[in-house]
Amino acid sequence: MIPELGRYAFSVLGAWGSSIGLVLIITVISIYRAKVSKAALTALEKQHKGK
Amino acid sequence: MSIWELANPVRFMRLSGRVLPYVSVLTIVFLSVGLVWGFFFTPDDFRQGASVKIIYVHVPLAFLAINIYFMMFVTSLIWLIRRHHVSALAAKAAAPIGAFFTLAALISGALWGSTTWGTYWQWDPTLTSFLIMFIFYIGYIALWGSVDEPDKAADLTSILCLIGSVFAILSRYAVNFWSQGIHQGASLSLDKEENISNVFWLPLVTVMTGVFFLFLTLLLIRTRTEIRNRRITALQAREVL
C-alpha cells in the first residue's frame, strides 16, 4: 500500500508536504477571517438596530 | 438573470451562500480521491521513478496559479471599464490564494527539479516568468494594503494586475514555445497524442478538478468576507457621523 519512494522520498514528501501545508494555511486563514468579519458585522448590525 | 446582476453585493451574498456548501463538498470529494489515487495507486515512471508523484501537486497548483491571475485580469478589467465593486473585491480576494498556490508550485517544482534536472533552480524562461508572476502577486497584495481609499486602491491594483498579466501569459505559454529552457513541455494537452499516459492523466485531472473547486470555495469565502468588511466600514463611518 505505502509506495516505495526510495531515493526520491525527500523530494516527493517535501513537495507534497509543502503544497498541502500551504493550501491548508490559506484555507484556515480564509475561514478564520470569514468567521471574525461575520461576527463583527452581526454585532455591529445588532448595535445599529438597538439604536 | 444577467451576469452583471451578480455585481450587486446583496444578490452575490445570497447566491454564493447557497452555492458554497455544494462547492465545498465537491472540493473534499475530488481532492481526497485524486490525492489518494495519485500517491498510493499510481505506478512509477520508467525514467523519473517515484519522483513523478510530484506531478499531482505541482501541475494542478501551477495551472491554477496562472489561471487565477487570468481571472484577476478579467475582473480588474471589468472594474476599470464598468466599475462593479464585486469584481474588484473578487480580484482582491483571489490574490492571496494565487500567491499561496504559486509559492507551493515554486517549492514543489524546485524539489522536482532537484531530482530530474539535478538543480533546484535555473533562470529558465518558464521558471523566471513564474517567479516574476509570484512577485506581482505579492506587489498586488501589498498595494491593496497600502492605499486607504478603496476605489483608488482598486484602480491602482487593477492597472498593476494588467501589467503583470504579461508574465502570467509568458508562464502559461513559455512551456510550449520557449524551447531553450530546461522545463519540459506542458503535461496536459488537448492533443491526445501529446498527452501523458492515462494511468497518470486520470488521477491528475481528478486533483486538478479538486484544486479548481478549492479555489472556487476559497474565492467565494474571501469575496464574501471582503463584502462584509466593506459593510462594517460603512456602518462604522455612519456611527462617526
Side-chain angles (χ1 to χ4, degrees), chain B residues 131-200:
Chain B
L131 178 66
I132 296 171
M133 189 181 77
F134 176 65
I135 295 166
F136 265 94
Y137 268 125
I138 301 298
Y140 180 92
I141 296 165
L143 190 55
W144 260 111
S146 62
V147 182
D148 287 334
E149 212 275 294
D151 282 4
K152 194 177 175 190
D155 285 340
L156 293 174
T157 52
S158 295
I159 292 164
L160 183 71
C161 181
L162 300 192
I163 297 165
S165 62
V166 173
F167 295 97
I169 292 166
L170 271 180
S171 292
R172 168 67 186 84
Y173 292 105
V175 289
N176 296 336
F177 68 77
W178 224 323
S179 54
Q180 299 99 311
I182 55 171
H183 197 285
Q184 66 271 29
S187 301
L188 294 172
S189 165
L190 291 175
D191 183 354
K192 195 71 187 143
E193 294 290 303
E194 289 180 17
N195 248 334
I196 56 172
S197 161
N198 271 352
V199 286
F200 302 114

Side-chain angles (χ1 to χ4, degrees), chain A residues 26-42:
Chain A
I26 186 66
T27 306
V28 169
I29 290 172
S30 303
I31 294 171
Y32 175 75
R33 281 189 68 230
K35 279 186 186 292
V36 169
S37 85
K38 194 176 180 179
L41 182 60
T42 310

Side-chain angles (χ1 to χ4, degrees), chain A residues 1-5 8 10-16 18-19 22-23 25-27 29-31 33-34 37-38 40-41 44-45 47-48 51, chain B residues 35 39-40 48-51 53-54 56-57 61 96 100 104 107-108 111 114-115 120 214 218 221-222 225-226 228-229 231-232 235-236 239:
Chain A
M1 175 88 172
I2 304 285
E4 190 61 55
L5 300 175
Y8 300 113
F10 171 74
S11 303
V12 174
L13 295 177
W16 276 66
S18 57
S19 300
L22 284 166
V23 163
I25 290 171
I26 186 66
T27 306
I29 290 172
S30 303
I31 294 171
R33 281 189 68 230
S37 85
K38 194 176 180 179
L41 182 60
L44 211 58
E45 279 178 337
Q47 197 181 316
H48 268 257
K51 277 184 182 174
Chain B
L35 290 175
F39 192 81
F40 293 104
Q48 297 191 38
S51 72
K53 290 187 190 301
I54 297 174
Y56 305 110
V57 287
L61 290 168
F100 268 81
I107 295 170
S108 58
L111 287 163
S114 73
T115 64
Y120 286 101
L214 172 69
L218 294 178
I221 291 173
R222 296 183 69 90
T225 305
E226 293 300 336
R228 281 199 195 103
N229 287 346
R231 174 104 179 110
I232 290 170
L235 286 175
Q236 282 169 340
E239 248 175 31

Side-chain angles (χ1 to χ4, degrees), chain B:
Chain B
M1 182 175 67
S2 147
I3 191 165
W4 302 116
E5 288 176 43
L6 278 176
N8 176 326
V10 177
R11 198 160 290 157
F12 177 85
M13 289 297 277
R14 201 168 44 220
L15 189 67
S16 61
R18 251 182 259 156
V19 170
L20 200 49
Y22 299 104
V23 186
S24 310
V25 170
L26 285 171
T27 305
I28 293 166
V29 170
F30 274 97
L31 274 186
S32 311
V33 171
L35 290 175
V36 170
W37 188 358
F39 192 81
F40 293 104
F41 302 105
T42 52
D44 290 351
D45 179 61
F46 76 101
R47 264 187 304 201
Q48 297 191 38
S51 72
V52 75
K53 290 187 190 301
I54 297 174
I55 200 172
Y56 305 110
V57 287
H58 175 73
V59 172
L61 290 168
F63 181 80
L64 255 293
I66 294 168
N67 284 294
I68 290 170
Y69 207 96
F70 286 137
M71 173 251 150
M72 286 165 58
F73 171 81
V74 173
T75 49
S76 297
L77 216 54
I78 292 172
W79 163 254
L80 288 173
I81 296 168
R82 299 191 64 137
R83 315 299 284 181
H84 284 311
H85 284 92
V86 174
S87 66
L89 293 179
K92 185 187 180 188
I97 311 169
F100 268 81
F101 282 15
T102 310
L103 182 61
L106 279 169
I107 295 170
S108 58
L111 287 163
W112 201 1
S114 73
T115 64
T116 53
W117 306 328
T119 176
Y120 286 101
W121 183 262
Q122 206 175 64
W123 296 101
D124 161 284
T126 310
L127 274 65
T128 308
S129 53
F130 201 73
L131 178 66
I132 296 171
M133 189 181 77
F134 176 65
I135 295 166
F136 265 94
Y137 268 125
I138 301 298
Y140 180 92
I141 296 165
L143 190 55
W144 260 111
S146 62
V147 182
D148 287 334
E149 212 275 294
D151 282 4
K152 194 177 175 190
D155 285 340
L156 293 174
T157 52
S158 295
I159 292 164
L160 183 71
C161 181
L162 300 192
I163 297 165
S165 62
V166 173
F167 295 97
I169 292 166
L170 271 180
S171 292
R172 168 67 186 84
Y173 292 105
V175 289
N176 296 336
F177 68 77
W178 224 323
S179 54
Q180 299 99 311
I182 55 171
H183 197 285
Q184 66 271 29
S187 301
L188 294 172
S189 165
L190 291 175
D191 183 354
K192 195 71 187 143
E193 294 290 303
E194 289 180 17
N195 248 334
I196 56 172
S197 161
N198 271 352
V199 286
F200 302 114
W201 188 78
L202 291 172
L204 178 59
V205 169
T206 311
V207 179
M208 286 182 88
T209 311
V211 174
F212 168 72
F213 281 124
L214 172 69
F215 164 64
L216 206 58
T217 307
L218 294 178
L219 179 69
L220 291 177
I221 291 173
R222 296 183 69 90
T223 308
R224 287 166 64 81
T225 305
E226 293 300 336
I227 292 171
R228 281 199 195 103
N229 287 346
R230 279 278 172 100
R231 174 104 179 110
I232 290 170
T233 312
L235 286 175
Q236 282 169 340
R238 214 186 292 172
E239 248 175 31
V240 172
L241 290 173

